[in-house]
Every structure is written in C-alpha cells, then in structure tokens.
Amino acid sequence: MLTIGNYVKVKTLEEAYELNQARNSRIMGGMMWMRLGNARVKTIIDMSELGLNEIEETDHVFRIGAMCTLRQLEEHEGLRKFYGDGIAESLRHIVGVQFRNQATVGGSIYGRYGFSDVLTALLALDTFVELYNGGTVRLSEFVNRKADKDILVSVIVRKSKRKFRYESIRQTKTDFPVLTCSVVTGIYRGQESWFFSVGARPMKAALLEKQWEIPKDATDEQLTEYAKRVAAEFTYGSNMRGSAEYRQHLAEVLLRREMRSILDEYNAEEK
Ligand SMILES: Cc1cc2nc3c(=O)[nH]c(=O)nc-3n(C[C@H](O)[C@H](O)[C@H](O)COP(=O)(O)OP(=O)(O)OC[C@H]3O[C@@H](n4cnc5c(N)ncnc54)[C@H](O)[C@@H]3O)c2cc1C
C-alpha cells in the first residue's frame, strides 16, 4: 500500500527540487505506477501548476514538458508530421486511452522501466532530457544513470530529417510488451546513419548506431542479414513472457520489417 504524509502543490521548480531532497519525498507524475507500489511517502510533490503540461514546437526542437500525458504525445500533430505514425504506434498499446490521459512523459522517462515503449521510441530519436539540477543530457546517457533526487523538467527531441518506425510484440493486447523495437534513419554528422533501439529485452531499451549505407534496393535476404547482425549486438534475458532466444528472434523479425518499411518509403519518394 502507498501511504502519503503531506501533499504539496509547488509554485516553482526550485521549491519542488528542495522538497524532493528529503529521502521520503517523491515527485508525482500521473501516479499510475507509483500508486501500485508499497511505500511510505513523507511528502508528495505535485508539479501540475508549473506549466510543464505542454509540447512546445520551435524551428529546431519539440520540447515536451514532464507533466504532458502520453495521450498528448500520441495525438500531437507536429510529431506526427515529422515522424509519421511511429510515435502514436509506440503509445497506443499502453493499457487504454484513460490510462494514457493520466500517465506522464516525465514519470515514464524518469522511471527508465525495462518494459517501456516510450523509452524505446524516444531513445532512437535525437532526444535529450532537461534535468533541474543536472542540466541537459542525452537520453542515451540518462538511461544508464542511477535514479537520484533530480527532477526531470522536459524531454527535448531535436528536429532532424529522419525516418522513424516503431513495433512491439505483446502476447495479449494491452499487456506489457515481450519486445519493443525502433528503427530510425537519417543523415547524422554528415553520414547516413541507422539508429536501432530495442527494449523489453526484458532489460531497458538500449541504442545502437550504425553508419551504414544500405542499398535502397536491398533484397529481403540482405535485410535479414543486417537485422541479424543488429539483433546479435543486444543482450536478452528470459522471464515469464519469453526466453532470451525468442526475444532475439523477435528482434531480428521486427528490425527487418522496420528497415524494409523505411526503404520502401525512400523508394516511393524517388518515383
Ligand atoms: C498497469 C500498467 C501497465 C503499463 N504498461 C505499460 C506498457 O505496456 N508500456 C509502457 O511503455 N509503459 C507502461 N506502463 C508505464 C506507464 O506508461 C508510465 O510510464 C508509468 O505509469 C509512469 O508514469 P506516471 O506518470 O504514472 O508516473 P508516476 O507513477 O507518478 O511516477 C513514477 C516515478 O517517477 C518519478 N517521477 C515522476 N515524474 C517525475 C519527474 N518529472 N521528475 C522526477 N521524477 C519523476 C516518481 O517520483 C516515481 O518514482 C504501465 C504502467 C502500469 C501501471
């Protein structure tokens, strides 16, 4: 059971940070995860009045406030225009609309959950997290940091011309995923690059970058080889949802499908 001593709706981020330094304080996101746990929380810190519930689009970035809900992310037109249906695809399997109207981006990324669709998707893009005390760091670095008492203020996705795909496998609709997988391509540091993130292995998502020029007319056999090489570079574990071998096999299949879908889009654009 979760027991809460005090509830404070803070007026500034500074106040939130100071309160959060006490060992038994917690920042609240949507409370969807936290409320299921067993804990005695001395002070729960509500940041809902700090204006962190918006997605701001500038010429260069999407800045997603920590208190934005997963549903806001799923429905954002700007993100859809830039990255296609992939973002929505990474979210639409998470429980249900009412749930996604409450779970927050901050809680999802701060939690760095192994099963996270949200983390897998955002990791493959050019994404940073803005921390109150720790500054702005790449999500790929943040993901491997130990949880501390900092506050996640926003998630920043740098706009760059990339193609984005997302797929996951679930044993039943709305269950936790057996495997999550995202593929992104684009020019990075002047070279064609492919970014692969695989999560729910069941360990949390990890990112791999390859500066490959995959021929646009690659055959299915060639893509299978690429996908096998990528899948073999991740590690997998076994749990009640699947064995390590099964997960690696799924990764090969999803990676190949996503790569094929991206190449098909390139080819259609050239016609
Ligand atoms: C039944 C269930 C099924 C789920 N299935 C999936 C799934 O299939 N795929 C998926 O990707 N996710 C899934 N999730 C996770 C969900 O999408 C959210 O990621 C999760 O609920 C956390 O978000 P929240 O807003 O509820 O955070 P909360 O529960 O409020 O907080 C979670 C943790 O993050 C901390 N925190 C919150 N916001 C901040 C912040 N801004 N700065 C610092 N710390 C912060 C809190 O103190 C707490 O420790 C599931 C969750 C549940 C409960």
Side-chain angles (χ1 to χ4, degrees), residues 247-267:
R247 285 192 158 94
Q248 180 162 346
H249 173 72
L250 290 180
E252 289 170 16
V253 174
L254 297 190
L255 289 164
R256 178 177 50 75
R257 275 191 208 157
E258 291 172 70
M259 292 164 90
R260 166 58 66 212
S261 167
I262 286 177
L263 292 184
D264 285 350
E265 189 181 325
Y266 277 126
N267 290 328

PDB file of all heavy atoms in Angstrom, residues 247-267:
ATOM      1  N   ARG A 247      13.289 -13.777 -27.770  1.00  0.00           N
ATOM      2  CA  ARG A 247      13.367 -12.314 -27.907  1.00  0.00           C
ATOM      3  C   ARG A 247      14.340 -11.921 -29.021  1.00  0.00           C
ATOM      4  O   ARG A 247      14.069 -11.010 -29.801  1.00  0.00           O
ATOM      5  CB  ARG A 247      13.816 -11.688 -26.591  1.00  0.00           C
ATOM      6  CG  ARG A 247      12.728 -11.672 -25.551  1.00  0.00           C
ATOM      7  CD  ARG A 247      13.121 -10.794 -24.370  1.00  0.00           C
ATOM      8  NE  ARG A 247      11.946 -10.361 -23.653  1.00  0.00           N
ATOM      9  CZ  ARG A 247      11.443 -10.985 -22.578  1.00  0.00           C
ATOM     10  NH1 ARG A 247      12.021 -12.065 -22.111  1.00  0.00           N
ATOM     11  NH2 ARG A 247      10.350 -10.520 -21.990  1.00  0.00           N
ATOM     12  N   GLN A 248      15.462 -12.621 -29.101  1.00  0.00           N
ATOM     13  CA  GLN A 248      16.425 -12.275 -30.163  1.00  0.00           C
ATOM     14  C   GLN A 248      15.807 -12.544 -31.538  1.00  0.00           C
ATOM     15  O   GLN A 248      15.974 -11.764 -32.470  1.00  0.00           O
ATOM     16  CB  GLN A 248      17.732 -13.061 -29.995  1.00  0.00           C
ATOM     17  CG  GLN A 248      18.751 -12.704 -31.087  1.00  0.00           C
ATOM     18  CD  GLN A 248      20.172 -13.102 -30.745  1.00  0.00           C
ATOM     19  OE1 GLN A 248      20.476 -13.420 -29.585  1.00  0.00           O
ATOM     20  NE2 GLN A 248      21.041 -13.082 -31.735  1.00  0.00           N
ATOM     21  N   HIS A 249      15.068 -13.623 -31.623  1.00  0.00           N
ATOM     22  CA  HIS A 249      14.396 -13.929 -32.890  1.00  0.00           C
ATOM     23  C   HIS A 249      13.388 -12.829 -33.239  1.00  0.00           C
ATOM     24  O   HIS A 249      13.326 -12.354 -34.374  1.00  0.00           O
ATOM     25  CB  HIS A 249      13.705 -15.298 -32.803  1.00  0.00           C
ATOM     26  CG  HIS A 249      12.866 -15.598 -34.000  1.00  0.00           C
ATOM     27  ND1 HIS A 249      13.420 -15.903 -35.229  1.00  0.00           N
ATOM     28  CD2 HIS A 249      11.517 -15.586 -34.168  1.00  0.00           C
ATOM     29  CE1 HIS A 249      12.436 -16.067 -36.102  1.00  0.00           C
ATOM     30  NE2 HIS A 249      11.279 -15.882 -35.491  1.00  0.00           N
ATOM     31  N   LEU A 250      12.614 -12.405 -32.231  1.00  0.00           N
ATOM     32  CA  LEU A 250      11.630 -11.337 -32.476  1.00  0.00           C
ATOM     33  C   LEU A 250      12.335 -10.056 -32.926  1.00  0.00           C
ATOM     34  O   LEU A 250      11.871  -9.353 -33.824  1.00  0.00           O
ATOM     35  CB  LEU A 250      10.827 -11.036 -31.206  1.00  0.00           C
ATOM     36  CG  LEU A 250       9.836 -12.087 -30.732  1.00  0.00           C
ATOM     37  CD1 LEU A 250       9.145 -11.612 -29.460  1.00  0.00           C
ATOM     38  CD2 LEU A 250       8.797 -12.394 -31.795  1.00  0.00           C
ATOM     39  N   ALA A 251      13.471  -9.780 -32.293  1.00  0.00           N
ATOM     40  CA  ALA A 251      14.207  -8.560 -32.652  1.00  0.00           C
ATOM     41  C   ALA A 251      14.616  -8.617 -34.128  1.00  0.00           C
ATOM     42  O   ALA A 251      14.473  -7.636 -34.869  1.00  0.00           O
ATOM     43  CB  ALA A 251      15.430  -8.395 -31.758  1.00  0.00           C
ATOM     44  N   GLU A 252      15.102  -9.771 -34.571  1.00  0.00           N
ATOM     45  CA  GLU A 252      15.509  -9.907 -35.983  1.00  0.00           C
ATOM     46  C   GLU A 252      14.333  -9.610 -36.910  1.00  0.00           C
ATOM     47  O   GLU A 252      14.451  -8.899 -37.897  1.00  0.00           O
ATOM     48  CB  GLU A 252      15.998 -11.342 -36.249  1.00  0.00           C
ATOM     49  CG  GLU A 252      17.329 -11.652 -35.616  1.00  0.00           C
ATOM     50  CD  GLU A 252      17.676 -13.141 -35.687  1.00  0.00           C
ATOM     51  OE1 GLU A 252      17.039 -13.878 -36.483  1.00  0.00           O
ATOM     52  OE2 GLU A 252      18.564 -13.558 -34.929  1.00  0.00           O
ATOM     53  N   VAL A 253      13.183 -10.168 -36.542  1.00  0.00           N
ATOM     54  CA  VAL A 253      11.999 -10.013 -37.408  1.00  0.00           C
ATOM     55  C   VAL A 253      11.527  -8.554 -37.427  1.00  0.00           C
ATOM     56  O   VAL A 253      11.292  -7.970 -38.491  1.00  0.00           O
ATOM     57  CB  VAL A 253      10.854 -10.944 -36.929  1.00  0.00           C
ATOM     58  CG1 VAL A 253       9.581 -10.683 -37.716  1.00  0.00           C
ATOM     59  CG2 VAL A 253      11.273 -12.402 -37.043  1.00  0.00           C
ATOM     60  N   LEU A 254      11.421  -7.949 -36.244  1.00  0.00           N
ATOM     61  CA  LEU A 254      10.917  -6.569 -36.191  1.00  0.00           C
ATOM     62  C   LEU A 254      11.893  -5.608 -36.859  1.00  0.00           C
ATOM     63  O   LEU A 254      11.485  -4.699 -37.594  1.00  0.00           O
ATOM     64  CB  LEU A 254      10.669  -6.138 -34.738  1.00  0.00           C
ATOM     65  CG  LEU A 254       9.600  -6.905 -33.966  1.00  0.00           C
ATOM     66  CD1 LEU A 254       9.300  -6.213 -32.642  1.00  0.00           C
ATOM     67  CD2 LEU A 254       8.308  -7.061 -34.755  1.00  0.00           C
ATOM     68  N   LEU A 255      13.183  -5.809 -36.621  1.00  0.00           N
ATOM     69  CA  LEU A 255      14.177  -4.917 -37.232  1.00  0.00           C
ATOM     70  C   LEU A 255      14.098  -5.004 -38.754  1.00  0.00           C
ATOM     71  O   LEU A 255      14.119  -3.984 -39.453  1.00  0.00           O
ATOM     72  CB  LEU A 255      15.592  -5.301 -36.764  1.00  0.00           C
ATOM     73  CG  LEU A 255      15.930  -4.975 -35.302  1.00  0.00           C
ATOM     74  CD1 LEU A 255      17.164  -5.738 -34.837  1.00  0.00           C
ATOM     75  CD2 LEU A 255      16.134  -3.474 -35.116  1.00  0.00           C
ATOM     76  N   ARG A 256      13.988  -6.219 -39.261  1.00  0.00           N
ATOM     77  CA  ARG A 256      13.912  -6.381 -40.720  1.00  0.00           C
ATOM     78  C   ARG A 256      12.673  -5.695 -41.284  1.00  0.00           C
ATOM     79  O   ARG A 256      12.752  -4.957 -42.272  1.00  0.00           O
ATOM     80  CB  ARG A 256      13.909  -7.870 -41.114  1.00  0.00           C
ATOM     81  CG  ARG A 256      13.775  -8.097 -42.615  1.00  0.00           C
ATOM     82  CD  ARG A 256      13.846  -9.556 -42.998  1.00  0.00           C
ATOM     83  NE  ARG A 256      12.966 -10.418 -42.245  1.00  0.00           N
ATOM     84  CZ  ARG A 256      11.645 -10.507 -42.406  1.00  0.00           C
ATOM     85  NH1 ARG A 256      11.032  -9.755 -43.302  1.00  0.00           N
ATOM     86  NH2 ARG A 256      10.929 -11.344 -41.681  1.00  0.00           N
ATOM     87  N   ARG A 257      11.542  -5.897 -40.606  1.00  0.00           N
ATOM     88  CA  ARG A 257      10.284  -5.282 -41.079  1.00  0.00           C
ATOM     89  C   ARG A 257      10.387  -3.765 -41.098  1.00  0.00           C
ATOM     90  O   ARG A 257       9.943  -3.100 -42.026  1.00  0.00           O
ATOM     91  CB  ARG A 257       9.152  -5.621 -40.118  1.00  0.00           C
ATOM     92  CG  ARG A 257       8.516  -6.930 -40.398  1.00  0.00           C
ATOM     93  CD  ARG A 257       7.252  -7.007 -39.546  1.00  0.00           C
ATOM     94  NE  ARG A 257       6.942  -8.376 -39.251  1.00  0.00           N
ATOM     95  CZ  ARG A 257       6.213  -8.783 -38.224  1.00  0.00           C
ATOM     96  NH1 ARG A 257       5.726  -7.910 -37.366  1.00  0.00           N
ATOM     97  NH2 ARG A 257       5.959 -10.048 -38.042  1.00  0.00           N
ATOM     98  N   GLU A 258      10.971  -3.216 -40.039  1.00  0.00           N
ATOM     99  CA  GLU A 258      11.058  -1.753 -39.946  1.00  0.00           C
ATOM    100  C   GLU A 258      12.026  -1.207 -40.986  1.00  0.00           C
ATOM    101  O   GLU A 258      11.773  -0.173 -41.612  1.00  0.00           O
ATOM    102  CB  GLU A 258      11.466  -1.344 -38.528  1.00  0.00           C
ATOM    103  CG  GLU A 258      10.369  -1.613 -37.516  1.00  0.00           C
ATOM    104  CD  GLU A 258      10.811  -1.410 -36.082  1.00  0.00           C
ATOM    105  OE1 GLU A 258      11.038  -0.270 -35.677  1.00  0.00           O
ATOM    106  OE2 GLU A 258      10.936  -2.414 -35.358  1.00  0.00           O
ATOM    107  N   MET A 259      13.133  -1.927 -41.204  1.00  0.00           N
ATOM    108  CA  MET A 259      14.095  -1.467 -42.224  1.00  0.00           C
ATOM    109  C   MET A 259      13.445  -1.522 -43.600  1.00  0.00           C
ATOM    110  O   MET A 259      13.584  -0.603 -44.408  1.00  0.00           O
ATOM    111  CB  MET A 259      15.354  -2.345 -42.192  1.00  0.00           C
ATOM    112  CG  MET A 259      16.165  -2.156 -40.933  1.00  0.00           C
ATOM    113  SD  MET A 259      17.345  -3.486 -40.684  1.00  0.00           S
ATOM    114  CE  MET A 259      18.727  -2.836 -41.524  1.00  0.00           C
ATOM    115  N   ARG A 260      12.714  -2.583 -43.861  1.00  0.00           N
ATOM    116  CA  ARG A 260      12.032  -2.726 -45.158  1.00  0.00           C
ATOM    117  C   ARG A 260      11.040  -1.576 -45.355  1.00  0.00           C
ATOM    118  O   ARG A 260      10.987  -0.961 -46.425  1.00  0.00           O
ATOM    119  CB  ARG A 260      11.322  -4.087 -45.212  1.00  0.00           C
ATOM    120  CG  ARG A 260      10.319  -4.287 -46.320  1.00  0.00           C
ATOM    121  CD  ARG A 260      10.928  -4.105 -47.713  1.00  0.00           C
ATOM    122  NE  ARG A 260      11.907  -5.115 -48.056  1.00  0.00           N
ATOM    123  CZ  ARG A 260      12.982  -4.900 -48.854  1.00  0.00           C
ATOM    124  NH1 ARG A 260      13.204  -3.696 -49.372  1.00  0.00           N
ATOM    125  NH2 ARG A 260      13.835  -5.860 -49.122  1.00  0.00           N
ATOM    126  N   SER A 261      10.302  -1.274 -44.314  1.00  0.00           N
ATOM    127  CA  SER A 261       9.299  -0.218 -44.419  1.00  0.00           C
ATOM    128  C   SER A 261       9.956   1.139 -44.703  1.00  0.00           C
ATOM    129  O   SER A 261       9.461   1.927 -45.515  1.00  0.00           O
ATOM    130  CB  SER A 261       8.502  -0.204 -43.105  1.00  0.00           C
ATOM    131  OG  SER A 261       7.732   0.936 -43.017  1.00  0.00           O
ATOM    132  N   ILE A 262      11.095   1.377 -44.096  1.00  0.00           N
ATOM    133  CA  ILE A 262      11.808   2.647 -44.345  1.00  0.00           C
ATOM    134  C   ILE A 262      12.327   2.685 -45.784  1.00  0.00           C
ATOM    135  O   ILE A 262      12.174   3.685 -46.493  1.00  0.00           O
ATOM    136  CB  ILE A 262      12.969   2.820 -43.331  1.00  0.00           C
ATOM    137  CG1 ILE A 262      12.379   3.176 -41.966  1.00  0.00           C
ATOM    138  CG2 ILE A 262      13.950   3.894 -43.796  1.00  0.00           C
ATOM    139  CD1 ILE A 262      13.396   3.312 -40.836  1.00  0.00           C
ATOM    140  N   LEU A 263      12.916   1.590 -46.247  1.00  0.00           N
ATOM    141  CA  LEU A 263      13.446   1.574 -47.627  1.00  0.00           C
ATOM    142  C   LEU A 263      12.307   1.748 -48.632  1.00  0.00           C
ATOM    143  O   LEU A 263      12.456   2.448 -49.641  1.00  0.00           O
ATOM    144  CB  LEU A 263      14.203   0.271 -47.901  1.00  0.00           C
ATOM    145  CG  LEU A 263      15.519   0.096 -47.131  1.00  0.00           C
ATOM    146  CD1 LEU A 263      16.221  -1.185 -47.567  1.00  0.00           C
ATOM    147  CD2 LEU A 263      16.458   1.275 -47.315  1.00  0.00           C
ATOM    148  N   ASP A 264      11.181   1.124 -48.348  1.00  0.00           N
ATOM    149  CA  ASP A 264      10.019   1.278 -49.244  1.00  0.00           C
ATOM    150  C   ASP A 264       9.613   2.750 -49.330  1.00  0.00           C
ATOM    151  O   ASP A 264       9.252   3.242 -50.398  1.00  0.00           O
ATOM    152  CB  ASP A 264       8.819   0.458 -48.745  1.00  0.00           C
ATOM    153  CG  ASP A 264       9.004  -1.032 -49.008  1.00  0.00           C
ATOM    154  OD1 ASP A 264       9.950  -1.389 -49.738  1.00  0.00           O
ATOM    155  OD2 ASP A 264       8.215  -1.834 -48.464  1.00  0.00           O
ATOM    156  N   GLU A 265       9.685   3.432 -48.198  1.00  0.00           N
ATOM    157  CA  GLU A 265       9.304   4.851 -48.214  1.00  0.00           C
ATOM    158  C   GLU A 265      10.304   5.662 -49.034  1.00  0.00           C
ATOM    159  O   GLU A 265       9.917   6.512 -49.833  1.00  0.00           O
ATOM    160  CB  GLU A 265       9.225   5.388 -46.780  1.00  0.00           C
ATOM    161  CG  GLU A 265       8.610   6.784 -46.744  1.00  0.00           C
ATOM    162  CD  GLU A 265       8.543   7.373 -45.334  1.00  0.00           C
ATOM    163  OE1 GLU A 265       8.328   6.612 -44.373  1.00  0.00           O
ATOM    164  OE2 GLU A 265       8.707   8.602 -45.207  1.00  0.00           O
ATOM    165  N   TYR A 266      11.599   5.384 -48.872  1.00  0.00           N
ATOM    166  CA  TYR A 266      12.607   6.083 -49.688  1.00  0.00           C
ATOM    167  C   TYR A 266      12.324   5.841 -51.168  1.00  0.00           C
ATOM    168  O   TYR A 266      12.345   6.751 -51.984  1.00  0.00           O
ATOM    169  CB  TYR A 266      14.013   5.562 -49.379  1.00  0.00           C
ATOM    170  CG  TYR A 266      14.684   6.176 -48.172  1.00  0.00           C
ATOM    171  CD1 TYR A 266      15.191   5.374 -47.147  1.00  0.00           C
ATOM    172  CD2 TYR A 266      14.841   7.556 -48.063  1.00  0.00           C
ATOM    173  CE1 TYR A 266      15.820   5.925 -46.040  1.00  0.00           C
ATOM    174  CE2 TYR A 266      15.473   8.115 -46.954  1.00  0.00           C
ATOM    175  CZ  TYR A 266      15.960   7.294 -45.951  1.00  0.00           C
ATOM    176  OH  TYR A 266      16.583   7.836 -44.854  1.00  0.00           O
ATOM    177  N   ASN A 267      12.070   4.591 -51.513  1.00  0.00           N
ATOM    178  CA  ASN A 267      11.855   4.244 -52.932  1.00  0.00           C
ATOM    179  C   ASN A 267      10.608   4.923 -53.480  1.00  0.00           C
ATOM    180  O   ASN A 267      10.611   5.400 -54.619  1.00  0.00           O
ATOM    181  CB  ASN A 267      11.771   2.721 -53.104  1.00  0.00           C
ATOM    182  CG  ASN A 267      13.140   2.079 -52.873  1.00  0.00           C
ATOM    183  OD1 ASN A 267      14.157   2.697 -53.168  1.00  0.00           O
ATOM    184  ND2 ASN A 267      13.161   0.875 -52.330  1.00  0.00           N
TER     185      ASN A 267
END
